[in-house]
Amino acid sequence: MSENESTAGQAEQTEITDYNDPNAPWNQAWDEQGGIANWNDDVIKEFRENSGKVGGAYAGGDLILLTTTGAKSGKRHTTPLGPLYRGDTMFVSSFIEDKYPAWWYNIKANPRVTIELRGKTYQATGKVLEGADYDEFAAWVLANHPLLADFQSKIDRPMPLVVLTLGGEG
């Protein structure tokens, strides 16, 4: 696979080309306080009950469950994310407009993570991209992922980019 090709999930993304699309999953389940209302709990439950498969807006695409250790609390936190790929390199980002997501801070403080993918669990390492590594990778992402490019055009800070490296199962 060339570095310009993505794997599972890309077809889903090409249908949503604008970050503000009301059909985008991230624009649908907000509570009165501006947070996602129990969104993750239901997705995590469905993911685990169905060996990594979920329905709804994410049907047919790849999802992972990323478990990090809280940078301040030390508690484990699990977040469903749609992985993207540059060749064989898995990476994740976020569509939170006003701040970096908690999992980004957690990985920055403790890069050891757990990833659940397609019904299997892996020990893994997350690397928050910064500096020249970030610049090179972000240029590729913006050229090859129109949805992330659209999102980046709407925010004033660099989008979060984290590379995930799977270790052994367990």
Side-chain angles (χ1 to χ4, degrees):
M1 172 179 292
S2 78
E3 73 171 22
N4 291 331
E5 295 176 310
S6 286
T7 59
Q10 184 177 7
E12 296 285 327
Q13 290 178 355
T14 57
E15 294 176 18
I16 299 172
T17 58
D18 182 354
Y19 169 72
N20 293 319
D21 186 327
N23 294 317
W26 52 86
N27 289 327
Q28 294 182 15
W30 296 92
D31 64 20
E32 292 82 33
Q33 290 77 38
I36 296 178
N38 299 321
W39 176 289
N40 289 346
D41 294 343
D42 293 340
V43 174
I44 291 166
K45 181 180 178 199
E46 184 179 3
F47 183 101
R48 289 180 172 155
E49 288 175 350
N50 296 298
S51 298
K53 293 184 168 96
V54 296
Y58 295 112
D62 250 355
L63 268 189
I64 62 170
L65 296 184
L66 174 68
T67 301
T68 60
T69 301
K72 294 180 183 176
S73 70
K75 294 179 182 177
R76 304 282 284 161
H77 300 279
T78 301
T79 306
L81 293 169
L84 298 167
Y85 297 89
R86 180 180 184 181
D88 293 332
T89 301
M90 179 190 297
F91 69 98
V92 289
S93 190
S94 172
F95 289 128
I96 297 175
E97 290 182 22
D98 58 344
K99 61 185 175 186
Y100 288 107
W103 54 260
W104 183 89
Y105 288 105
N106 294 346
I107 290 171
K108 194 166 179 153
N110 182 354
R112 293 185 164 278
V113 299
T114 302
I115 294 175
E116 296 172 59
L117 172 66
R118 299 182 194 120
K120 295 182 180 181
T121 301
Y122 301 90
Q123 297 309 306
T125 303
K127 179 182 178 187
V128 171
L129 296 181
E130 298 177 292
D133 289 339
Y134 179 90
D135 294 342
E136 187 278 328
F137 205 92
W140 179 88
V141 168
L142 295 174
N144 290 282
H145 290 278
L147 188 56
L148 286 173
D150 182 55
F151 172 69
Q152 182 64 78
S153 74
K154 292 173 173 43
I155 62 173
D156 294 330
R157 60 174 169 73
M159 77 180 113
L161 290 174
V162 174
V163 170
L164 300 169
T165 303
L166 298 180
E169 282 186 61

